[in-house]
Amino acid sequence: TGANLAGADLSLANLDDAWLIGANLAGADLSLANLDDAWMIGANLDKANLTGANLTDANLYGANLTGANLAGAYLTAANLAGADLRLANLDDARLIGANLDKANLTDVIGADFTGAVNIPERYRKD
């Protein structure tokens, strides 16, 4: 909790069930990392590389994911409520069951919100 891991190379790391609440992971490389069930409430992931990461059931409530690369990430059933995803790359990210309530999705790249819940009105395709 509250750890400073800014710029750390955590690619391929197994962080299953990790408690990274309020952690600073700005610019960190978390590509292909396993963050299944991780608690990352309020974490700073500004410009972090999460390409192909497993964030299934992760709690990212209020996290800063501005400019983060989430291409191909598994965000199935992740809690992204209140998260800041401005300019994040969500190309091929799996968002089925992800909670996007009050998330900032301004200028996200390549997002397909099919199956996500609580999508802000302007991003719905219905």
Side-chain angles (χ1 to χ4, degrees):
T1 300
N4 184 3
L5 297 167
D9 182 357
L10 299 168
S11 57
L12 298 171
N14 183 7
L15 298 167
D16 183 35
D17 289 317
W19 282 66
L20 296 165
I21 298 169
N24 182 9
L25 293 152
D29 183 359
L30 291 152
S31 55
L32 300 174
N34 180 19
L35 292 151
D36 184 43
D37 287 315
W39 283 70
M40 302 173 81
I41 298 168
N44 181 11
L45 292 148
D46 180 60
K47 296 180 182 74
N49 181 6
L50 293 145
T51 305
N54 178 12
L55 292 149
T56 302
D57 292 316
N59 191 344
L60 292 147
Y61 178 85
N64 177 12
L65 290 150
T66 304
N69 188 353
L70 292 150
Y74 293 86
L75 291 155
T76 306
N79 182 12
L80 292 159
D84 190 347
L85 289 151
R86 286 174 295 148
L87 300 168
N89 181 355
L90 293 170
D91 194 37
D92 290 326
R94 284 107 176 140
L95 293 161
I96 296 171
N99 180 7
L100 295 164
D101 186 39
K102 297 184 179 132
N104 186 342
L105 302 170
T106 304
D107 297 323
V108 293
I109 300 163
D112 178 358
F113 298 115
T114 304
V117 297
N118 299 318
I119 306 161
E121 187 68 36
R122 68 184 236 186
Y123 298 97
R124 293 186 189 155
K125 290 184 180 178
D126 18 75

